[in-house]
Amino acid sequence: MRNAAWYSRFAKAAAHFCGRPRVFVLAVGVIAAWIVTGPIFGFSDTWQLVINTGTTIITFLMVFLIQNTQNRDTEAIQVKLDELIRATKGAHNALLDLEELEEENLDAFRTKYQALASAARAELSRGIQDTGTPEP
């Protein structure tokens, strides 16, 4: 767990740092310097390999950092949504933690709510309000 906490802190800090405009400008600067050095190195294969290797390594590592950050953000949003469902009178607690359901069960919930939405739109087109709780 200690390694996971370290990685989580590192990933969060790295993603925060890499998302800043200065880092983007730095990346553009590196590309510009690479382009400017092209004639000096005769646009050689080695010159091209340097940028290809560098960008591949950075991209490979950034995928893991971005995925970690996205997973953490998604989990936080899900917990917040679960709390809103739990705290809302009349809400269906069965909707808590839907992201953990099997696809068939999730499809059943989706079908139910698509039917509710369709019925609400039909009533709205007839001038009936679509607010409130549809169940008695």
Side-chain angles (χ1 to χ4, degrees):
M1 276 307 192
R2 194 169 154 198
N3 287 338
W6 173 86
Y7 178 73
S8 183
R9 284 192 312 273
F10 171 75
K12 185 176 180 180
H16 182 73
F17 174 77
C18 291
R20 293 179 180 225
R22 283 187 236 156
V23 177
F24 176 76
V25 170
L26 175 66
V28 170
V30 168
I31 299 299
W34 174 75
I35 290 170
V36 168
T37 61
I40 296 169
F41 294 104
F43 301 101
S44 68
D45 289 344
T46 302
W47 173 79
Q48 292 178 35
L49 187 61
V50 166
I51 198 70
N52 288 339
T53 303
T55 56
T56 300
I57 290 169
I58 290 169
T59 302
F60 179 75
L61 295 174
M62 287 303 294
V63 164
F64 294 102
L65 294 176
I66 292 167
Q67 188 64 51
N68 177 273
T69 302
Q70 186 176 8
N71 288 347
R72 191 174 50 252
D73 289 348
T74 299
E75 286 179 28
I77 289 169
Q78 290 303 322
V79 169
K80 290 174 184 179
L81 290 172
D82 287 347
E83 174 58 12
L84 289 173
I85 292 168
R86 188 200 61 78
T88 303
K89 184 177 180 176
H92 298 279
N93 287 334
L95 296 177
L96 294 170
D97 214 14
L98 282 181
E99 66 277 5
E100 300 299 326
L101 291 180
E102 295 297 324
E103 197 66 33
E104 305 83 40
N105 296 337
L106 188 57
D107 287 342
F109 275 109
R110 185 180 301 114
T111 300
K112 177 182 175 182
Y113 281 92
Q114 285 172 337
L116 285 172
S118 179
R121 285 189 201 101
E123 289 182 359
L124 190 60
S125 69
R126 292 187 310 224
I128 301 171
Q129 291 291 327
D130 70 334
T131 59
T133 305
E135 288 105 17

